[in-house]
Amino acid sequence: MPQKIPQRLYEDLEKILEKELPFSVQAYYPVKLLRKKLLNNRIVWVDKWPDFKVVVVSDDRHKDVSPQRIHCFCKDTHESSSLDSVLRLISDELSNSLLMFGCRSSVVDDLIKSRGSSVRRVSPDAYMLTLPEENIISLPIPDDFKITNLKEHHLDTVVQEWPYSGVFSDSKEWIKEMIAVLPSVCIENKEGQPIAWVLQQDYGCIGMLQVKSEYKRAKLGSAVTMLLAQKLREEGSHIYSAINVENSQSLAFHEKNGFHYLSDFLIAFVNYGYNQT
């Protein structure tokens, strides 16, 4: 039966999930952050313990935003029924629909077959990519630009420039939390305005990369990506990115910057409907 994992077991769970990387990335990083007490207001669920097949990280309370984000991992590509049992319990407890990050496409295919219209993809699937250490390089930055990390006074700009901000009514709250606790890189111009940035997101992938339009020819996107990769490497973290299969521009950017595709690893973004009956 699905159950919540107490904080005292986070370290054990983290070690198990680390052995399952890269497939466990979107559950591993939230659990790691919770174990370090860098994230709060979350619950970790499993289908059973200790021989779990499914891990899901959710909010610990209902929010006035629908759907609510969750991050998940299935050990086996044929564990959609175990996943469904956990998701039903979470959806009932939160009284809300769920937006699921991280499950492999094959698991989602099985889930959709069994649940029908109550489960649907909200976007095309995404390739998972990684940046090998040997492909991390230093790139030049103009002398009048300053390298820093994202701070709270950058928040409004980051939210405004992120093209998916309108999808989530709590985008500002979510991004503020990530800026506060996760690695990031920001380049400011000589006036102190942010012109390029990227951060590691709470599910482990780097993202929200943006370069102000007037600076796009300066290769600052590559620069901030490599700077963040260096920072993550120094921390002992893996470097992952999830890119929409139809986003040819972003895929070309990652290929050009030395990222490799992880074979047999497509993830889906799925709305799991809340059944009020």
Side-chain angles (χ1 to χ4, degrees), residues 211-250:
V211 179
K212 286 291 192 74
S213 57
E214 59 267 38
Y215 295 95
K216 289 201 180 279
R217 293 182 178 274
K219 297 184 178 180
L220 297 182
S222 296
V224 293
T225 298
M226 289 299 164
L227 286 166
L228 181 57
Q230 290 169 9
K231 187 180 291 191
L232 294 175
R233 180 185 62 184
E234 290 167 3
E235 294 180 357
S237 293
H238 302 272
I239 302 158
Y240 297 116
S241 188
I243 307 299
N244 186 312
V245 297
E246 296 182 359
N247 192 340
S248 57
Q249 183 176 358
S250 183

Side-chain angles (χ1 to χ4, degrees), residues 121-250:
R121 281 177 165 86
V122 297
S123 69
D125 292 349
Y127 291 118
M128 287 293 296
L129 299 92
T130 188
L131 183 63
E133 184 174 345
E134 62 270 19
N135 290 353
I136 302 174
I137 60 175
S138 296
L139 295 173
I141 304 292
D143 292 338
D144 54 350
F145 290 170
K146 176 184 176 183
I147 301 171
T148 183
N149 57 289
L150 286 169
K151 301 179 176 66
E152 189 170 343
H153 67 265
H154 298 130
L155 179 60
D156 287 341
T157 300
V158 175
V159 173
Q160 181 179 349
E161 294 289 333
W162 189 45
Y164 301 104
S165 288
V167 175
F168 308 104
S169 60
D170 66 338
S171 288
K172 190 169 185 176
E173 175 188 345
W174 181 38
I175 295 172
K176 179 180 179 180
E177 179 182 56
M178 290 192 289
I179 286 175
V181 302
L182 292 167
S184 64
V185 172
C186 177
I187 294 178
E188 297 176 338
N189 62 16
K190 59 184 179 181
E191 287 81 25
Q193 299 169 333
I195 58 175
W197 57 86
V198 67
L199 72 155
Q200 186 184 40
Q201 298 172 99
D202 57 0
Y203 55 90
C205 295
I206 65 173
M208 296 191 180
L209 171 65
Q210 291 293 324
V211 179
K212 286 291 192 74
S213 57
E214 59 267 38
Y215 295 95
K216 289 201 180 279
R217 293 182 178 274
K219 297 184 178 180
L220 297 182
S222 296
V224 293
T225 298
M226 289 299 164
L227 286 166
L228 181 57
Q230 290 169 9
K231 187 180 291 191
L232 294 175
R233 180 185 62 184
E234 290 167 3
E235 294 180 357
S237 293
H238 302 272
I239 302 158
Y240 297 116
S241 188
I243 307 299
N244 186 312
V245 297
E246 296 182 359
N247 192 340
S248 57
Q249 183 176 358
S250 183

Side-chain angles (χ1 to χ4, degrees), residues 84 100 108 111-112 115-121 270-273:
D84 188 36
M100 182 169 62
V108 169
L111 187 62
I112 290 173
R115 288 296 307 275
S117 60
S118 63
V119 179
R120 61 179 179 82
R121 281 177 165 86
V270 176
N271 187 306
Y272 184 93

Side-chain angles (χ1 to χ4, degrees), residues 36-138:
K36 291 182 172 183
K37 299 183 179 179
L38 294 174
L39 281 183
N40 52 38
N41 301 324
R42 305 290 200 284
I43 294 175
V44 181
W45 302 78
V46 294
D47 58 321
K48 56 185 176 180
W49 183 264
D51 300 318
F52 67 87
K53 297 294 185 182
V54 172
V55 180
V56 180
V57 182
S58 75
D59 292 318
D60 66 352
R61 65 196 186 284
H62 172 81
K63 289 184 177 179
D64 291 328
V65 53
S66 185
Q68 288 184 238
R69 289 178 295 275
I70 60 170
H71 307 294
C72 64
F73 164 62
C74 288
K75 275 190 176 183
D76 193 309
T77 57
H78 302 292
E79 286 295 334
S80 63
S81 60
S82 298
L83 175 62
D84 188 36
S85 66
V86 178
L87 296 180
R88 283 175 185 265
L89 190 58
I90 296 172
S91 181
D92 288 344
E93 181 148 320
L94 296 179
S95 300
N96 213 338
S97 298
L98 309 173
L99 180 61
M100 182 169 62
F101 288 53
C103 266
R104 282 181 273 187
S105 296
S106 54
V107 177
V108 169
D109 289 340
D110 286 347
L111 187 62
I112 290 173
K113 286 178 183 177
S114 64
R115 288 296 307 275
S117 60
S118 63
V119 179
R120 61 179 179 82
R121 281 177 165 86
V122 297
S123 69
D125 292 349
Y127 291 118
M128 287 293 296
L129 299 92
T130 188
L131 183 63
E133 184 174 345
E134 62 270 19
N135 290 353
I136 302 174
I137 60 175
S138 296

